[in-house]
Amino acid sequence: MNIIVCIKRVPDTADADISIDKSGKDIDKSGLAFDLNEWDNYAIEEAIQLKEKLGGTVTVFSLGGEDSNESLRKCLAMGADDAIRLFDPAFAGGDGFATARVLAEAVRTKPYDLILTGTQAEDDGYGQVGVVMAERLGIPHVSIVNHIEVQDKKIKAHRELEGGLEEVVEVDLPALLTIQTGINEPRYVSIMGIRKVAKKEIKALGTSDLNLKPEDVGLAGSDLQLEKVFLPPVGEGATMLEGKPEEIAQKVFDILKDKGGVA
Amino acid sequence: MKEIIVVAEHRRGELRDVTWEMLSKGRDLTESIGGELSVALLGKDVKNMAEALKPKVNRVLLIEDPRLEYYNSETYEKVLIQVLTERKPVLTMIGHTAQGMDFAPSLATHLKIPLATDCIGIDPKDGTFALTRQIYGGKINAAVSFLKSAPQYMVTVRAGAFPVVEKAPLSGEVLTVPSPLTDEALARRFLEYVEAAAGEVDITQADILIAIGRGIKDAENIPLVKELADSIGGVLACSRPVVDKKWLPKGCQVGTSGKTVKPKVYIAIGISGAFQHVAGMKGAGTIIAINKDPKAPIFGVAQYGIVADLFKIVPVIKDKIKELKK
C-alpha cells in the first residue's frame, strides 16, 4: 500500500506564554519551540504502522520554508521512505484552501492508495485541508478518524463524533482520511534516529513544478484574509487565590467544604 | 431576496443544539441584512423535526429520502449542491462539528464558495461578513474577512459559540424539495454507530471531580492527583490529551468528544481550557483552576483560580486537607 501523509510544522503554544507581535497579525514566535503538528504525528505513525503490516511506501509532504525539513526528517526517522517540501515565496499568506490546493497538486505527481492528514492544525485550526484535498483529487474522504482496518481495496474507519459516540464507515480506496489524536501511540524518535536520516535528500518543489499559477496560491488563491489578532475577552474571570501555598490550600479546603460538602 | 440557509444537524432522531444556535444567530443576521432565514433539513421521515423548526425560520427546505437515514458526506453533498445551486443563499451556515467538518469543506470547494471554518463571530459588513475565529488552541482570537466579493459565502459555526435567544415565532412554511439521490453506488458507506467503552467509574455521577490535563506531563505524576482526589472523596477525570496518551481511559474524558459533567465542584489541574473541554464542564457548580499560565483560558470560566506549578501546590493542598480532616 502506498501512503501519502501531509504534515505541518507548528509552534508549540500549549504551555507557552504567548503574546501578539508588532504587526498585530500574528503571535510573537521568537521564543517558541516548533514541532510536528500533534494530529500529524498520529497520522504519520498510523501510516508507518500500515506500511509495517502491509508493505508499500510512505511519502511525506509539507508546505513550508527550510525549517519544515526538521519535521520532515522526524517523519523519515519514524520510518517514512521519502519526504518532499513544497515551498515558494508566492505561497505566503495562504489559508487552508490555498494550502490544500498546493498539496493536492503535489500528491497528484505520486501514485497512492491512501492519503492521511491530521484532522486539524494546532496553529490556525481550520480543520479543512484534508477534506478540500480529497474533493480536488476526486477521491472519497473520511474525517476525524480514530480507528482503521484495511480490507481488500477498502478501509473500515471509525469517525469520532461528539459525546463518546463513533460512526463506523467503509470507504473505497484510494481515499483520504483525516486522523484524530489518540488513534495510536506515536513512536519516540531518538537523536540517533534523526542522525541516521540527516543526509537524506528532501526535495523542494515550487509553483512552477506543480502545474499551479501564482494566482492559485498564497493570499491570492485564498478565501480568507486575516485582519488582526487579539487576546480573547476573559469574561468575568476567576477570583485569584493568592498567598503562601499553605494559605492557598486553606482557601481551597474552605471552598470544598462550602461548595462541595467536604467535611 | 437575500436568503441565509442553516443546514440542520441531527443524529438518532434528535436535532442537535448547534442547529438552534445557528438558527438564533441566523435570525439576527437576516434581520440586519434584510433577508429571510431558511433551514435545510435532510433525512428520512423527519417531518416531526420540520414542524419543530418552523417557528424559527421563514422556510424549512425539507429533503426526505430513505438514503438520508444516516449522515454520509457523499449524499449530503449531492443534496446540498442542488439546494445551494438553485437557491443561491448569500450565506450557508453549517455546524463546525464532526458532521459539518466532514462535508462543508468539500461542498464549498465543489461550488467554489468561499468558506470560513470554526467561526465564533459572524457580522455583516459591506455586503459580506466579518468573522472571528480562534487560533493557537483558543489562546488568540483572529478577525478574519473574506478576501474577494462573492455571490455566496459559507461558514462553519462552533458549537456553543452563539446563545439561543428566544424571539417572536416566525410562520415558517415547509417546502418539500425533491431528493436528487439515486441508487448509484457510493464510495463511502455508513455501517453503524458504536459507543466508546464505558469506564469503571461514572464521572457524570460524582459530586467532586478532580480533572487533569496536559500539564500533568507524565503518567507517573497521576498518583499525586489521585491522592488529592481520594482525600476529599473526589473522582479523577481528565481532558483529551491525557486520554490520547492512554494515561487514563476514555470514560474519564470531559469535553465535546467525551462526557458532559455537572459536579458540585470541579478542580481543573494543568488544563488550559480549550473550548472542547470547557463545553463539557462549564455547568459545574464551582470551578477551581490551577495553571501556571495566568493567561490560560480556563481562568475565564473558573470561579477561583490559582496561578502555580501544580507539582508544588497540589501536594500542599493534599496535606492541608488531610490535616484539616483529622
Side-chain angles (χ1 to χ4, degrees):
Chain A
M1 174 171 280
N2 295 317
I3 306 173
I4 285 173
V5 185
C6 301
I7 61 130
K8 184 178 188 181
R9 179 178 183 263
V10 295
D12 183 1
T13 53
D15 281 329
D17 181 10
I18 56 180
S19 55
I20 292 163
D21 73 5
K22 279 187 195 140
S23 76
K25 293 193 170 196
D26 206 346
I27 57 168
D28 181 357
K29 293 176 183 158
S30 52
L32 296 175
F34 282 71
D35 201 354
L36 184 56
N37 177 41
E38 193 178 357
W39 280 265
D40 303 346
N41 195 26
Y42 287 94
I44 181 73
E45 175 64 34
E46 196 65 19
I48 290 159
Q49 288 188 15
L50 288 173
K51 177 187 130 172
E52 285 168 349
K53 214 182 294 173
L54 305 165
T57 60
V58 174
T59 308
V60 192
F61 286 85
S62 186
L63 197 140
E66 274 186 36
D67 293 346
S68 294
N69 283 351
E70 183 194 9
S71 295
L72 287 166
R73 266 190 219 292
K74 182 176 177 183
C75 295
L76 291 169
M78 286 172 81
D81 300 279
D82 219 349
I84 297 167
R85 184 169 62 87
L86 309 169
F87 178 75
D88 199 306
F91 292 168
D95 65 359
F97 184 76
T99 301
R101 186 186 266 141
V102 174
L103 287 168
E105 288 313 312
V107 304
R108 259 188 232 281
T109 62
K110 289 261 171 191
Y112 60 84
D113 305 294
L114 182 64
I115 302 174
L116 302 183
T117 69
T119 288
Q120 65 187 65
E122 289 168 67
D123 53 359
D124 51 30
Y126 288 117
Q128 72 181 78
V129 170
V131 178
V132 172
M133 279 180 73
E135 179 69 26
R136 296 196 68 86
L137 293 166
I139 58 172
H141 70 267
V142 184
S143 64
I144 324 179
V145 171
N146 64 6
H147 181 73
I148 292 177
E149 284 167 47
V150 178
Q151 299 167 336
D152 183 34
K153 295 201 172 82
K154 63 184 183 189
I155 277 182
K156 193 167 149 185
H158 288 224
R159 298 187 65 225
E160 181 186 278
L161 308 180
E162 292 81 7
L165 193 67
E166 294 178 1
E167 177 186 298
V168 187
V169 303
E170 188 179 76
V171 66
D172 295 336
L173 294 175
L176 183 146
L177 310 184
T178 81
I179 300 298
Q180 178 61 300
T181 54
I183 187 173
N184 52 38
E185 294 179 52
R187 66 198 67 196
Y188 174 74
V189 179
S190 67
I191 293 170
M192 274 305 290
I194 297 274
R195 261 187 216 150
K196 270 186 194 161
V197 296
K199 295 239 166 71
K200 199 165 161 72
E201 190 205 2
I202 295 177
K203 208 192 284 175
L205 300 177
T207 309
S208 56
D209 305 308
L210 295 172
N211 194 26
L212 285 164
K213 299 188 206 80
E215 60 266 32
D216 295 333
V217 300
L219 187 61
S222 293
D223 285 347
L224 299 175
Q225 111 179 301
L226 195 140
E227 303 283 346
K228 61 167 184 175
V229 300
F230 54 100
L231 292 171
V234 179
E236 282 180 28
T239 303
M240 289 300 174
L241 307 180
E242 285 158 350
K244 289 182 191 145
E246 288 73 23
E247 292 163 9
I248 293 174
Q250 177 70 52
K251 287 174 188 169
V252 171
F253 180 77
D254 293 344
I255 296 164
L256 283 166
K257 209 165 135 183
D258 183 31
K259 312 281 185 183
V262 172
Chain B
M1 190 266 300
K2 285 180 191 164
E3 186 180 33
I4 292 178
I5 295 183
V6 168
V7 179
E9 179 166 332
H10 57 92
R11 185 176 298 143
R12 295 172 139 183
E14 298 252 350
L15 283 159
R16 297 184 55 78
D17 291 348
V18 71
T19 306
W20 306 111
E21 293 160 12
M22 288 191 288
L23 289 172
S24 188
K25 180 64 191 176
R27 175 104 179 249
D28 281 351
L29 289 170
T30 49
E31 282 168 6
S32 6
I33 64 171
E36 289 192 353
L37 183 62
S38 300
V39 62
L41 175 63
L42 288 67
K44 178 198 175 202
D45 302 329
V46 287
K47 289 200 176 62
N48 59 329
M49 288 185 207
E51 284 303 313
L53 290 165
K54 266 163 74 173
K56 302 293 181 194
V57 294
N58 301 101
R59 191 173 305 100
V60 179
L61 305 166
L62 176 65
I63 306 97
E64 286 191 304
D65 191 311
R67 301 173 194 90
L68 291 169
E69 182 171 9
Y70 299 103
Y71 163 77
N72 183 324
S73 56
E74 295 191 11
T75 53
Y76 260 60
E77 267 178 69
K78 277 203 182 99
V79 171
L80 290 167
I81 284 168
Q82 172 180 291
V83 171
L84 301 188
T85 305
E86 277 175 10
R87 300 200 64 91
K88 301 190 170 45
V90 62
L91 182 68
T92 302
M93 300 171 74
I94 296 168
H96 192 75
T97 54
Q99 182 171 311
M101 286 174 81
D102 191 59
F103 74 87
S106 42
L107 178 64
T109 303
H110 187 99
L111 292 171
K112 299 191 166 62
I113 298 175
L115 167 69
T117 58
D118 196 15
C119 295
I120 59 166
I122 309 162
D123 297 292
K125 193 187 172 190
D126 310 331
T128 166
F129 297 91
L131 311 158
T132 309
R133 302 181 69 252
Q134 290 202 312
I135 53 178
Y136 299 108
K139 285 191 162 182
I140 296 284
N141 280 9
V144 173
S145 61
F146 287 112
L147 192 60
K148 297 154 205 154
S149 166
Q152 292 187 51
Y153 300 99
M154 188 183 290
V155 290
T156 64
V157 177
R158 178 179 293 183
F162 297 103
V164 176
V165 181
E166 286 303 324
K167 286 198 170 179
L170 295 169
S171 49
E173 50 163 349
V174 176
L175 191 68
T176 304
V177 179
S179 163
L181 300 177
T182 63
D183 281 329
E184 187 190 349
L186 300 171
R188 164 172 159 177
R189 293 147 319 256
F190 173 88
L191 298 179
E192 61 175 334
Y193 290 122
V194 291
E195 306 274 352
E200 284 172 30
V201 185
D202 185 355
I203 59 167
T204 65
Q205 298 301 312
D207 281 340
I208 299 174
L209 282 176
I210 316 289
I212 51 172
R214 200 186 291 271
I216 197 75
K217 290 209 160 58
D218 202 299
E220 19 179 86
N221 298 324
I222 292 177
L224 173 73
V225 181
K226 179 77 170 66
E227 241 186 285
L228 172 64
D230 290 344
S231 71
I232 51 176
V235 170
L236 205 56
C238 65
S239 64
R240 172 163 206 122
V242 176
V243 173
D244 281 348
K245 294 191 163 74
K246 317 277 188 272
W247 294 342
L248 283 177
K250 180 84 183 169
C252 294
Q253 188 187 331
V254 173
T256 314
S257 58
K259 299 257 169 62
T260 300
V261 296
K262 290 180 181 173
K264 286 181 188 163
V265 178
Y266 189 91
I267 307 185
I269 301 176
I271 292 177
S272 66
F275 81 93
Q276 294 94 334
H277 182 74
V278 170
M281 49 67 90
K282 62 183 177 200
T286 301
I287 300 168
I288 306 172
I290 302 174
N291 204 293
K292 66 177 182 190
D293 176 8
K295 288 186 202 148
I298 194 75
F299 292 124
V301 288
Q303 282 78 45
Y304 300 97
I306 301 165
V307 178
D309 178 345
L310 77 90
F311 299 108
K312 293 202 177 114
I313 195 76
V314 169
V316 179
I317 295 174
K318 183 197 69 193
D319 290 345
K320 189 80 184 172
I321 286 168
K322 281 187 176 164
E323 174 200 318
L324 292 169
K325 281 186 76 174
K326 267 179 194 161

